Amino acid sequence: MRNTSVLFICLGNICRSPLAEGVFRNEVEKLGLSEHFTIDSAGTGGWHIGNPPDPRSIDIARQYSIDISKQSCRRLEAEDFHDFDYIFAMDHSNLANAKSINNNGGSAQLSLFTHYAGQGEIEIPDPYYGGTDGFNTAYLMIKQASIDVLQRLQNQANG
Ligand code: 4NP
């Protein structure tokens, strides 16, 4: 399998995309494919640059034995569209914001995460302003999308 680079994006890069980075990396590790993947996350907004993920995201990941506490928030940049093969957005507004950062350069494939997973146009709801339930929902949706996307990427790489 050739190297594949995957970037997860959301608005703040403190709730959903850090979770997606950690969960997807965990799925890749479980399959012994770590050496074939570069995995990162970023936000379209710049409010939390340099900060760790939201404590509620760290907690929900920890409940499923995944440590995302060492991640650091960064902003999506136009160069990311040159550096990554795939950029997966959590919702439609992330997609629109990413397109405005992009300037139409680069060869990254920008998709809604669930769409690329074959689940349709489902958004991972932003849990930032809600309670802990929203973080568990985000985790479960991200976990299933990660499994499905990884399967698709493996099929493509092997086929
Ligand atoms: P995220 O959630 O996009 O899943 O990281 C948010 C985090 C922070 C803010 C909005 C959404 N904010 O407005 O600061």
Side-chain angles (χ1 to χ4, degrees), residues 70-150:
K70 310 286 190 304
Q71 292 184 32
S72 174
C73 174
R74 76 169 178 88
R75 193 169 194 176
L76 180 69
E77 298 170 345
E79 294 88 274
D80 289 317
F81 290 84
H82 296 270
D83 293 345
F84 286 86
D85 299 317
Y86 297 93
I87 299 179
F88 293 128
M90 300 296 125
D91 64 32
H92 285 105
S93 73
N94 306 152
L95 273 182
N97 291 335
K99 281 176 189 160
S100 69
I101 290 171
N102 178 18
N103 294 326
N104 293 321
S107 59
Q109 183 170 339
L110 174 65
S111 308
L112 192 69
F113 189 28
T114 53
H115 180 83
Y116 199 84
Q119 299 169 355
E121 297 288 313
I122 304 166
E123 300 192 315
I124 312 280
D126 187 347
Y128 184 64
Y129 293 106
T132 50
D133 275 8
F135 285 80
N136 200 43
T137 300
Y139 170 84
L140 293 171
M141 293 179 77
I142 285 167
K143 165 102 184 229
Q144 191 57 53
S146 294
I147 291 168
D148 294 346
V149 163
L150 189 51

